[in-house]
Amino acid sequence: LFRSGSFRCCRSPSVGGVMGGVCSNGCFAAFASPDPRIKQLQACKKELAEFIDSMNCHPILVRLAWHDSGTYDQRISDFPDRGGANGAIRFDPEMNFGANAGLAKARSFLEKFAEKYPLVSWADLIQLASATAIECAGGPAIDMKYGRVAVNLPTLCVGSSSREGFSANAGLPDAKPPFGCGATTAAEHLRNVFTKKMGFNDQEIVALSGAHTIGRAFKERSGTCPFGFGEAAASKYTKSQCIVRKDGQKGCGMVGGAAWTKNWLTFDNSYFSRYKEAAQDDNLLWFPTDAALHTDPDFKPFFELYAQDQEAFFRDYAKAHKKLSELGSTFEPPAGIKI
């Protein structure tokens, strides 16, 4: 880690102290060298955007980052036991959680970036890829900060059954009952995961759920839908000739599965504004945890707001995504770095 004068003025004891912004041993705080990670993060983001655009892999990179952050438990104070955005998902103890089925592919996508940009920690790389994917899909630019410390050993991963009140997957959310937290309703489950464990309020839960405007589920991964890999097993909206990108060009990455929206590589508010289509179309997804957002009386006002106002959704989503991306993280320097 970088503990040089690029972060702070040196504080060596000296005669005369500090005057005019200059340490007595000659350190000019105002002219400190820029953190060398900044250039690597900037270059990495540019290359990630090009890769995401060519591979149409936006959703799986978002899911990887969310599931890294999603182990966070606000009831645990110590790092890395508290989980969160620390890069531990790249190690098998977490990657092998049932909820993480299929995410080894996303890890493999990022391995070449980790090798090329060694000053970018795995914890930062995973979150950088996610934020870049949202932006590339037409979503908001997120005010991210970097400098996350990544765990460096598989033994530092959190255990699947380590979260009080959750049976497995370190408390990651379920789409359908039976819910691993024992909740009897989908709304209760969402609040057990996102509020009790992770510290989000109702508005943030609804905003984050809007990320389902991109992405799919697969029979071979979550098992939550009947649609699987390949053209023959695809829904009518996830076949190779479907137009789903924000620029109207062909391309959908791996064919198959089922999505919540028809344009599932475009980040917009259609998850909210066209939910009735999803609820009535067997070729689209609409799980109990989705339905809870427009039926629960406390979630519903935010759902309706985002259906009517995409700008409000983008604003609130960007804030909630940023918060999610920092859960459990230890930053060096503590204030993080911006790019």
Side-chain angles (χ1 to χ4, degrees):
L1 296 176
F2 297 87
R3 300 183 182 276
S4 67
S6 61
F7 296 152
R8 59 183 70 85
C9 183
C10 62
R11 297 175 180 175
S12 302
S14 57
V15 177
V18 179
M19 296 182 63
V22 185
C23 283
S24 57
N25 62 0
C27 173
F28 287 76
F31 300 99
S33 300
D35 190 315
R37 291 174 293 180
I38 293 175
K39 284 189 175 181
Q40 288 209 3
L41 283 160
Q42 291 170 334
C44 186
K45 180 178 180 180
K46 181 176 184 296
E47 193 170 336
L48 276 167
E50 295 168 353
F51 176 81
I52 292 166
D53 183 64
S54 67
M55 294 294 290
N56 297 299
C57 60
H58 315 61
I60 198 170
L61 293 178
V62 175
R63 180 171 169 241
L64 179 71
W66 280 41
H67 283 214
D68 195 38
S69 296
T71 62
Y72 176 68
D73 191 333
Q74 65 178 344
R75 300 167 296 182
I76 301 171
S77 59
D78 292 341
F79 177 91
D81 294 347
R82 64 187 180 228
N86 59 27
I89 197 171
R90 75 189 190 278
F91 293 121
D92 286 346
E94 287 191 25
M95 184 59 72
N96 291 337
F97 288 176
N100 292 337
L103 286 178
K105 181 178 182 179
R107 177 181 61 187
S108 71
F109 284 158
L110 297 184
E111 284 171 348
K112 68 176 184 179
F113 294 95
E115 183 177 352
K116 184 172 182 179
Y117 300 103
L119 300 185
V120 179
S121 73
W122 262 101
D124 272 349
L125 176 59
I126 290 169
Q127 299 302 326
L128 174 65
S130 174
T132 303
I134 293 292
E135 195 170 349
C136 288
I142 299 164
D143 182 27
M144 300 286 286
K145 71 175 181 178
Y146 299 97
R148 292 171 187 79
V149 175
V151 300
N152 57 7
L153 293 170
T155 53
L156 298 178
C157 291
V158 302
S160 177
S161 59
S162 63
R163 295 330 192 208
E164 182 182 352
F166 296 88
S167 61
N169 296 309
L172 289 167
D174 303 307
K176 296 179 175 181
F179 298 115
C181 63
T184 58
T185 68
E188 181 187 5
H189 174 63
L190 288 172
R191 292 189 177 101
N192 282 346
V193 173
F194 288 98
T195 304
K196 182 184 294 185
K197 186 172 80 80
M198 299 173 69
F200 289 104
N201 61 32
D202 284 355
Q203 174 259 311
E204 292 167 326
I205 292 171
V206 179
L208 286 173
S209 297
H212 282 150
T213 195
I214 62 173
R216 296 169 288 173
F218 293 85
K219 177 177 63 176
E220 296 88 347
R221 291 180 180 170
S222 66
T224 54
C225 77
F227 300 98
F229 299 148
E231 195 81 25
S235 76
K236 65 182 181 182
Y237 306 116
T238 60
K239 296 184 182 295
S240 59
Q241 297 304 306
C242 293
I243 303 300
V244 295
R245 289 169 52 103
K246 71 179 179 67
D247 57 9
Q249 299 298 308
K250 289 184 178 180
C252 65
M254 184 178 72
V255 174
W260 286 262
T261 65
K262 296 177 182 179
N263 59 334
W264 48 268
L265 282 181
T266 301
F267 196 97
D268 57 20
N269 71 333
S270 59
Y271 171 82
F272 302 104
S273 64
R274 306 184 72 172
Y275 80 91
K276 291 182 180 178
E277 292 182 12
Q280 297 169 5
D281 190 333
D282 290 340
N283 279 262
L284 292 171
L285 302 174
W286 204 250
F287 296 132
T289 44
D290 300 303
L293 302 176
H294 57 85
T295 56
D296 178 88
D298 295 315
F299 286 146
K300 185 176 181 179
F302 302 111
F303 190 98
E304 293 178 340
L305 170 63
Y306 300 148
Q308 298 166 5
D309 190 340
Q310 181 168 284
E311 184 177 342
F313 167 50
F314 276 24
R315 180 194 64 233
D316 291 349
Y317 176 81
K319 292 177 182 177
H321 183 121
K322 174 180 171 62
K323 178 176 175 178
L324 179 67
S325 78
E326 297 173 8
L327 293 181
S329 298
T330 291
F331 288 89
E332 181 59 48
I337 55 177
K338 294 294 188 79
I339 62 171

